[in-house]
């Protein structure tokens, strides 16, 4: 549009030399404007500054910036550790108030990577839809979602029609203004799809979360530490649940140590079998493939655990074509 | 590996043989004044009128519940005598409360405890109710007796906000107690300001929080009117009973086992590692009083 406009101006100048000089200047300016516009379109949004000061009669005066662990501790005390365990970088909080309505609090966490943002989300949601961002859950006055490297919470202490309306509105604004999307952690691709409860996938890299679905042990004998990628997921339906744990180590040696720790602690009398039945009559198995530890727990039958293990191996082969 | 860790299989095997936690060490117990009672007794008292339909506590009902529980716990002939088994007239008493905004200790309970302590002969100037300001509170600084009271709730890092966790304000660096999901909170009871002073533990279960979402870990959807108080001389035993109720509620609500995330290992370790009290339900003398519907334990 801009270029054609300048071309028309040039034509009207009848190719005069002076006109040519002007033409060159105009073309240069036009190109500069186009480049600036393109740059603006693709510039990363600073979502921390994008929250409105007022909306539908609700106002927000204070912005609280949480730019380190200490300020996060001050803000949510022990709750801060969850975010720190997923690589918290910084966050912003705004409180919206309106006469006669409960307050609505918005918190946007910059988790540094999309994998971390998904991780926090996966740790707290138990159902998932795609209404907001790259995955969300709404629970009676609380909207939680993730998009790109951000994890977002919009909540009220008391759900009313108005406070719920504001939560949805703010959720949409934030979701639209975060222009970047991001990937979920690659380790999730190792989960077989058959029977997987997708809303249960829990990604983590801090050993604290290994017992999230099923108590395995009270110490970090699987050597997860605070930087080893791991994922937990539920298979089957309520009343017939099995749990899959996958841990991907930096090297085969650590993976081997973790595997041996498991065998030694769970089967100290050497009674380990490829698929074992525990004293609660449930079946389980652990397997080591290269640098990756697999555990299948709480299986109703030996056959089910065996089938799940086969799926695990097939999935691994598809992703790691060198695996033999 | 030389140290045997606690695995799921070990728990299952122990349960098959002699009940969950058979390996736990039994706490020697806490002696009441003038009494040889050393059993780990826990009183669970409930009243269907304890809270109204909005979850607000009814002061008269919860005062009666507390009196009833303390009398049953101590075996005193009447209320005054019961409190005198816990508190001496020369004591300086800190009532360690909890002011968490979404679910604080009800002020009616705090004030009732203060009234009973005064009736036990303690000068009102020697009693203080505090939470986050205990370190700078002159009464707490020179206290000889502590009463530990707080509501139970789930917690994003320690599994539950428990009586054990309630003492984290006795340190000027709470976050230094967070490693391993607050595993060693029982060591708070060894701090000089605290050691040997706790006379009574009251876990408020009027409207407990059984699940949390979001940074503030609170949503009204996950509180329910349990209408109870758990009272004990042993904070570990009281927490252990409360924890069982929270877990049972989670299973009822979610329709399947939904373990606390992370597990409240600090309660188990308070027994097995720190020997502060007993977490083993089979070794707790649980006395249930009052309303039974939906008791969950």
């Amino acid at each position: 549009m801009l270029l054609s406009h300048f071309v028309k101006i040039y034509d009207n100048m009848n190719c005069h030399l002076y006109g040519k000089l002007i033409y060159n200047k105009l073309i240069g300016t036009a190109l500069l404007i186009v480049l600036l516009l393109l740059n603006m379109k693709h510039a990363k949004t600073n979502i921390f500054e994008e929250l409105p000061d007022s909306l539908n009669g609700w106002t927000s005066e204070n912005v609280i910036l949480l730019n380190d662990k200490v300020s996060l501790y001050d803000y949510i005390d022990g709750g801060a550790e969850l975010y720190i365990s997923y690589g918290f970088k910084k966050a912003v909080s705004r409180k919206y108030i309106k006469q006669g309505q409960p307050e609505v609090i918005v918190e946007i966490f910059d988790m540094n990577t999309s994998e971390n943002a998904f991780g926090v989300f996966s740790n707290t949601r138990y159902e998932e839809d795609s209404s907001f961002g790259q995955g969300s859950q709404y629970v009676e006055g609380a909207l939680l979602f993730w998009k790109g490297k951000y994890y977002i919470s919009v909540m009220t202490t008391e759900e009313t029609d108005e406070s719920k309306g504001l939560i949805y509105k703010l959720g949409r604004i934030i979701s639209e203004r975060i222009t970047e999307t991001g990937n979920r952690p690659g380790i999730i691709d190792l989960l077989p799809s058959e029977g997987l409860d997708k809303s249960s996938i829990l990604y983590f890299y801090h050993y604290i979360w290994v017992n999230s679905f099923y108590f395995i042990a009270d110490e970090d004998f699987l050597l997860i530490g605070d930087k080893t990628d791991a994922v937990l997921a539920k298979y089957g339906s309520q009343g017939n649940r099995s749990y899959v744990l996958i841990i991907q180590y930096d090297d085969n040696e650590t993976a081997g140590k973790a595997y041996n720790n498991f065998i030694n602690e769970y089967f100290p009398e050497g009674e380990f079998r490829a698929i074992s039945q525990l004293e609660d009559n449930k079946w389980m198995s652990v397997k080591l493939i290269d640098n990756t530890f697999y555990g299948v727990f709480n299986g109703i039958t030996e056959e089910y655990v065996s089938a799940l293990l086969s799926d695990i191996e097939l999935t691994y082969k598809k992703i790691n074509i060198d695996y033999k | 590996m030389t140290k045997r860790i606690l695995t799921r299989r070990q728990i299952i095997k122990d349960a098959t043989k002699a009940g969950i936690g058979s390996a736990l060490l039994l706490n020697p117990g806490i002696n009441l004044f003038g009494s040889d009672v050393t059993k780990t007794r826990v009183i669970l008292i409930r009243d269907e009128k304890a809270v109204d339909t909005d979850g607000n506590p009814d002061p008269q009902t919860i005062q009666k519940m507390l009196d009833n529980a303390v009398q049953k716990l101590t075996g005193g002939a009447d209320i005054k005598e019961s409190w005198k088994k816990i508190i001496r007239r020369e004591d300086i008493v800190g009532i360690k409360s909890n002011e968490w905004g979404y679910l604080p200790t009800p002020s009616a309970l705090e004030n009732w405890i203060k009234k009973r302590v005064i009736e036990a002969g303690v000068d009102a100037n020697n009693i203080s109710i505090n939470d986050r300001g205990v370190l700078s509170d002159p009464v707490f600084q020179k206290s000889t007796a502590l009463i530990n009271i707080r509501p139970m709730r789930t917690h994003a890092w320690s599994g539950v906000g428990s009586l054990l966790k309630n003492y984290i304000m006795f340190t000027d660096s709470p976050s230094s107690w967070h490693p391993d999901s607050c595993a060693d909170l029982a060591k708070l009871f060894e701090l000089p300001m605290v050691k040997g002073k706790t006379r009574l533990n009251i876990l408020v279960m009027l409207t407990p929080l059984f699940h949390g979402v979001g940074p503030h870990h609170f949503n009204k959807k996950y509180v329910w009117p349990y209408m109870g108080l758990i009272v004990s001389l042993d904070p570990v035993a009281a927490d252990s009973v409360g924890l069982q109720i929270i877990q049972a509620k989670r299973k009822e609500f979610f329709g399947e086992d939904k373990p606390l995330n992370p597990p409240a290992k600090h309660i188990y370790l308070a027994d097995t590692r720190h020997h502060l009290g007993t977490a083993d339900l089979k070794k707790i003398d649980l006395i249930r009083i009052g309303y039974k519907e939906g008791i969950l334990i």
Side-chain angles (χ1 to χ4, degrees), chain A residues 57-97:
Chain A
W58 295 75
T59 56
S60 173
E61 290 178 359
N62 296 325
V63 180
I64 302 172
L65 183 63
L66 311 163
N67 52 13
D68 57 20
K69 290 178 188 177
V70 175
S71 57
L72 193 63
Y73 280 132
D74 290 343
Y75 184 67
I76 49 174
D77 191 22
E81 296 288 1
L82 164 66
Y83 302 90
I84 292 166
S85 77
Y86 280 100
F88 165 80
K89 187 178 177 187
K90 59 183 176 178
V92 69
S93 166
R94 290 198 80 161
K95 191 181 287 182
Y96 288 84
I97 54 170

Side-chain angles (χ1 to χ4, degrees), chain A residues 81 107 126 158 218 271, chain B residues 9 178 216 220 222 265:
Chain A
E81 296 288 1
E107 280 125 352
Y126 57 87
E158 187 83 48
D218 72 333
E271 67 274 39
Chain B
R9 184 163 188 229
H178 290 171
H216 302 275
K220 278 193 171 178
Y222 307 119
K265 67 195 287 185

Side-chain angles (χ1 to χ4, degrees), chain B residues 77-117:
Chain B
D78 56 33
I79 300 298
K80 198 168 178 179
E81 193 198 327
S82 300
W83 278 91
K84 281 187 172 177
K85 284 176 176 279
I86 298 167
I87 300 291
R88 294 189 176 102
R89 59 185 301 119
E90 64 272 22
D91 272 326
I92 299 167
V93 183
I95 300 168
K96 174 60 182 69
S97 189
N98 195 287
E99 62 184 39
W100 190 58
Y102 297 106
L103 198 62
T105 304
S107 56
L109 272 176
E110 294 172 338
N111 295 332
W112 197 248
I113 292 167
K114 185 174 180 180
K115 183 174 185 296
R116 291 308 192 207
V117 172

